[in-house]
Amino acid sequence: MLLGPGGALYGTDAMGGVIGLYLPPLPAFGSGGTPRGRIWANYDSADSGMAFGASSGWGGDRVAYQIGSAWRDHGPLRLGGGEMARASAFDQWGWHARAAVNLQDDWSLQGTVLANATMGAGRTDDLGRGIVRAYNNRDTFAWLELRRDGTAGT
């Protein structure tokens, strides 16, 4: 989590916000070849929201991977006095897949795909005029990285 104004770290063009991608590192090459996994669940009392997720990773001599997925059901947000916020319930899911191939001479090629969907989220900016909208949003973001380990062999 990044607190404070984004412009202090990322310049004056960050007034609209900063998207920070903080992914766990890929398993190291040659990390024993033992798959590792994690399953988790969460409950939030403010919106009776539930969340479930799972991830797995493995690092062999030449290939490493990591995959994961999560689903969240956000119920109506409960306000002070027991009142429920209008248009505050929505569903969200996402997944990620990452892989790396160990090339020669300390070089590796890494690829990442992130996907997210927000379904039925309410937009209440015109609530004073009685306008409440629901929208769905799906995003996919992918990239490749060619990396060189500058500390290898030292």
Side-chain angles (χ1 to χ4, degrees), residues 3-4 8 34 78 85-86 89 97 111 120 133 149:
L3 301 175
T34 303
R78 187 177 34 183
R86 290 179 65 186
R133 298 181 204 127
D149 184 1

Side-chain angles (χ1 to χ4, degrees), residues 2 5 16 19 29 39 51 65 80 87 89 93-96 100 106 113 144-145:
L2 178 65
I19 297 174
F29 293 117
I39 297 173
Y65 83 88
W93 63 265
W95 63 270
H96 75 275
D106 306 323
V113 178
L144 286 172
E145 296 176 70

Side-chain angles (χ1 to χ4, degrees), residues 79-138:
L79 305 174
E83 190 177 338
M84 299 295 198
R86 290 179 65 186
S88 60
F90 64 96
D91 291 328
Q92 184 179 26
W93 63 265
W95 63 270
H96 75 275
R98 301 175 71 200
V101 177
N102 190 8
L103 305 172
Q104 61 185 4
D105 299 327
D106 306 323
W107 287 88
S108 66
L109 180 63
Q110 297 184 17
T112 303
V113 178
L114 306 174
N116 184 66
T118 303
M119 309 302 286
R123 181 174 171 177
T124 59
D125 55 343
D126 286 332
L127 188 59
R129 296 189 301 171
I131 300 171
V132 177
R133 298 181 204 127
Y135 65 94
N136 298 328
N137 186 41
R138 291 183 178 92

Side-chain angles (χ1 to χ4, degrees), residues 46-62:
D47 64 358
S48 297
M50 296 179 292
F52 303 95
S55 63
S56 175
W58 176 80
D61 290 336
R62 306 225 10 115

Side-chain angles (χ1 to χ4, degrees), residues 19-33:
I19 297 174
L21 300 175
Y22 303 100
L23 296 171
L26 277 166
F29 293 117
S31 59

